[in-house]
Amino acid sequence: MTIATVLARGLRPTEDIAHQAVSAAMERAQLTHANSVLLFLTPEFARDPQPALRAASKAANCMQVIGCSAAGIFTEEDWVLDTPAAAAMVFGGNVALAPAHDIAADTLVFSLAAPNAINSAWIKAPGQRFGGISGDATGQGPFKVWSGAKVSAQGRCETLIKGAHGLVGVSQGIRALSVPLEITQVSGYDVISLTSQPALNILARELPLEVREQEHLPLHLIMAGVIFGEPEHAISEGRYRLTPIISTNADDRSVTLSARLSPGDRLFWALRQPLAAERDMRITLDRMDQKMNETPDFGLFFPCMGRGPYFYGGVDRDLDLVKARYPGMPMIGFYGNGEIGPLNGENEIFQYSAVLGLFKEDV
């Protein structure tokens, strides 16, 4: 394999950490120069990542250094959330990260963005976009994106993966509490009724007893799933977009969501649970196996910050499942503030999800 990863740590965010990560990855891949480098750095580097980018470029004998800073980073070997670190993946042989030009509708486009650089025109542009948003859980912080070994002034970048083919899977990882129900009345962001019944009454009825009896509902764990297409198998087939709940309103028994919906839309109530997320990740991997029908050579993985080790009690079960499925496969990624991936024929920004790209080098 001419693709390899290394995760390097240090006490302070120095350029030596980036140089160490890239140099060790180059040695592991037996390369003297790389076609491209994917480099993720922890937040300590974000204020001025340029020295680390120069060091990575020098170590790889390559100017095509792409990546971002993120709240947490990882490779197939380990993850880091609270220590200055650099994760590097080097590409040799036939595989390279190339500028995105003349993008066809079915072309996979690796996409990175800072929270303040997202806009709908970019997300909806041609190509099947996948990747992550380099923010923390609040979407704040001095997060940076780079391409060509330089910080992007636009705060985002897009590249093609040349010399390899692959596919993208999305695990939204929730436990459905109800079947899809038709929205019968809305007011702005407030869903007032479902099937002509107060929305909050239906939500309260469907919640597990241990959740319903809490003094305050854990709204950060409760979601609305808005489905696409026929409702019968929409949940099992993953044809839905999760929408966070902002508040519940006792006066009119409505539920305020983070997105505007319309009468006639169908939604179901859902709960974020580690066991449900782990089960959904297994299902996602099964689907990808069936579609790919070959062993991938490398992976790019982008779980939400709310879906990583903090969610799973100090371990990353999503990462562990991918590693167990593909032992020894080079993999790199980061925990972000949003995930970019395809859904229902369009590009979407996901929340509390995990987006995985698996790739096979062209022969």
Side-chain angles (χ1 to χ4, degrees):
M1 275 295 294
T2 54
I3 298 170
T5 67
V6 166
L7 181 67
R9 300 174 176 83
L11 297 177
R12 295 181 297 107
T14 65
E15 61 192 73
D16 291 340
I17 300 176
H19 190 278
Q20 177 186 345
V22 176
S23 296
M26 293 285 289
E27 183 176 352
R28 184 170 292 179
Q30 299 182 347
L31 296 173
T32 57
H33 69 276
N35 297 332
S36 311
V37 177
L38 189 52
L39 180 71
F40 297 135
L41 302 173
T42 50
E44 294 86 355
F45 289 89
R47 194 163 301 280
D48 182 19
Q50 202 59 56
L53 302 186
R54 286 194 296 267
S57 177
K58 182 177 180 181
N61 291 313
C62 167
M63 289 299 296
Q64 187 66 333
V65 178
I66 293 166
C68 63
S69 58
I73 61 178
F74 58 83
T75 68
E76 74 277 8
E77 296 183 331
D78 204 355
W79 50 265
V80 172
L81 283 170
D82 55 4
T83 303
M89 174 177 276
V90 298
F91 297 87
N94 297 321
V95 184
L97 303 178
H101 299 305
D102 301 323
I103 301 170
D106 60 348
T107 301
L108 289 178
V109 184
F110 176 44
S111 305
L112 300 172
N116 61 358
I118 293 292
N119 63 64
S120 59
W122 182 70
I123 288 292
K124 302 298 183 184
Q128 294 185 22
R129 295 175 181 271
F130 78 101
I133 300 172
S134 65
D136 60 12
T138 67
Q140 305 299 315
F143 294 93
K144 301 285 176 56
V145 175
W146 44 83
S147 178
K150 293 182 179 180
V151 174
S152 168
Q154 293 181 315
R156 58 180 185 263
C157 72
E158 54 187 21
T159 58
L160 304 181
I161 300 176
K162 295 291 189 180
H165 58 279
L167 54 82
V168 173
V170 180
S171 169
Q172 300 193 68
I174 46 82
R175 170 188 169 188
L177 300 176
S178 70
V179 298
L181 302 169
E182 183 178 353
I183 298 175
T184 47
Q185 187 178 0
V186 298
S187 176
Y189 291 88
D190 296 341
V191 177
I192 297 174
S193 65
L194 300 166
T195 61
S196 299
Q197 300 179 58
L200 182 55
N201 288 4
I202 294 179
L203 172 59
R205 184 182 69 210
E206 300 294 348
L207 287 172
L209 183 62
E210 67 272 15
V211 176
R212 195 187 320 158
E213 290 182 340
Q214 293 185 29
E215 183 177 355
H216 300 289
L217 290 180
L219 295 184
H220 64 292
L221 297 178
I222 307 171
M223 311 286 285
V226 184
I227 70 162
F228 301 94
E230 292 297 322
E232 185 176 358
H233 300 293
I235 297 175
S236 63
E237 294 175 357
R239 289 187 284 105
Y240 59 87
R241 180 180 66 249
L242 294 177
T243 301
I245 294 175
I246 303 301
S247 65
T248 56
N249 311 303
D251 292 342
D252 62 0
R253 309 302 292 172
S254 67
V255 178
T256 304
L257 303 180
S258 65
R260 288 178 180 267
L261 301 181
S262 302
D265 290 341
R266 291 179 180 267
L267 69 75
F268 63 93
W269 301 120
L271 191 63
R272 297 180 56 234
Q273 288 182 326
L275 285 177
E278 183 177 342
R279 181 172 62 249
D280 189 66
M281 191 70 220
R282 292 182 189 274
I283 293 171
T284 299
L285 290 170
D286 289 341
R287 288 176 182 155
M288 296 181 76
D289 270 349
Q290 293 173 3
K291 291 180 180 180
M292 196 164 192
N293 199 29
E294 56 185 340
T295 303
D297 290 325
F298 65 96
L300 308 180
F301 194 25
F302 305 98
C304 181
M305 187 67 183
R307 178 77 184 261
Y310 293 146
F311 182 59
Y312 285 112
V315 297
D316 188 338
R317 289 296 299 144
D318 293 321
L319 184 58
D320 287 346
L321 287 172
V322 180
K323 289 162 56 177
R325 185 69 61 102
Y326 308 111
M329 180 186 72
M331 181 168 54
I332 194 171
F334 66 83
Y335 304 107
N337 182 244
E339 303 75 57
I340 302 169
L343 178 65
N344 197 41
E346 296 187 354
N347 300 317
E348 295 284 349
I349 298 177
F350 296 88
Q351 297 290 330
Y352 304 113
S353 301
V355 171
L356 173 64
L358 296 175
F359 296 89
K360 183 75 173 180
E361 187 171 357
D362 295 334
V363 178

